[in-house]
Amino acid sequence: MTDRPYGTQDPSQISASIPHFFCAMEGHLHKKASLIWKKRYFQLQPSAVAYYTTQGDAEPRGELPLKSSSEVQLHTKRSHGFSIITDSVALVVAADSDSTRKSWVDAVKSNIEALATGAGETPTGYYKTRVGQHDFCLPRKY
């Protein structure tokens, strides 16, 4: 499975094709836990980043809510690292490559922007669908 938003071929096109709308991603990242880094399975949801011990776990091991005031910063002490900060809580993670980090950073920033702008409107050429508690915007194929 690739670390790309659902339904896209090129992660750099997210902002251009769906401005300020929610992205969804999943994949493995390394999470900083005290002094060590642990590989975890992450899911980016419209208003949270959840992580699991392994892919397929029923319940997340942890979750960081996203708010319109959340920030994403590059983490320079680890290759391909970045931090997601909400209020005074930081989730520090690292990807396996710069391109994967860029995809995650862009998607998280897009979700933060969507939260800040309300993201209530469905962009032309897309439709909204609900899965569980989460709303997603998917491209119309026809």
Side-chain angles (χ1 to χ4, degrees):
M1 180 168 290
T2 61
D3 290 325
R4 291 186 181 206
Y6 301 128
T8 65
Q9 295 297 325
D10 182 359
S12 67
Q13 298 301 312
I14 297 168
S15 298
S17 63
I18 311 175
H20 308 305
F21 213 84
F22 295 117
C23 295
M25 287 186 68
E26 57 185 7
H28 287 96
L29 296 171
H30 300 272
K31 179 188 171 295
K32 186 174 182 188
S34 299
L35 299 175
I36 59 172
W37 293 81
K38 295 185 178 185
K39 189 173 186 176
R40 298 285 184 233
Y41 189 77
F42 282 79
Q43 287 184 334
L44 174 60
Q45 302 161 356
S47 59
V49 178
Y51 60 92
Y52 302 78
T53 301
T54 60
Q55 183 177 358
D57 287 353
E59 295 294 320
R61 184 168 178 84
E63 184 175 278
L64 179 69
L66 295 176
K67 298 180 178 180
S68 60
S69 60
S70 296
E71 298 178 20
V72 181
Q73 300 175 351
L74 297 184
H75 185 72
T76 58
K77 294 182 181 178
R78 169 96 180 196
S79 295
H80 322 300
F82 62 98
S83 301
I84 305 167
I85 304 160
T86 298
D87 298 327
S88 60
V89 179
L91 178 63
V92 181
V93 295
D96 289 329
S97 68
D98 279 333
S99 63
T100 301
R101 174 176 68 179
K102 181 179 179 347
S103 295
W104 276 94
V105 168
D106 289 347
V108 172
K109 284 182 177 180
S110 180
N111 284 14
I112 293 168
E113 276 296 315
L115 290 168
T117 60
E121 299 296 318
T122 304
T124 304
Y126 292 81
Y127 69 96
K128 278 187 182 179
T129 187
R130 185 170 194 87
V131 179
Q133 303 174 19
H134 305 290
D135 292 319
F136 295 95
C137 181
L138 301 173
R140 292 191 190 280
K141 297 211 177 197
Y142 307 101

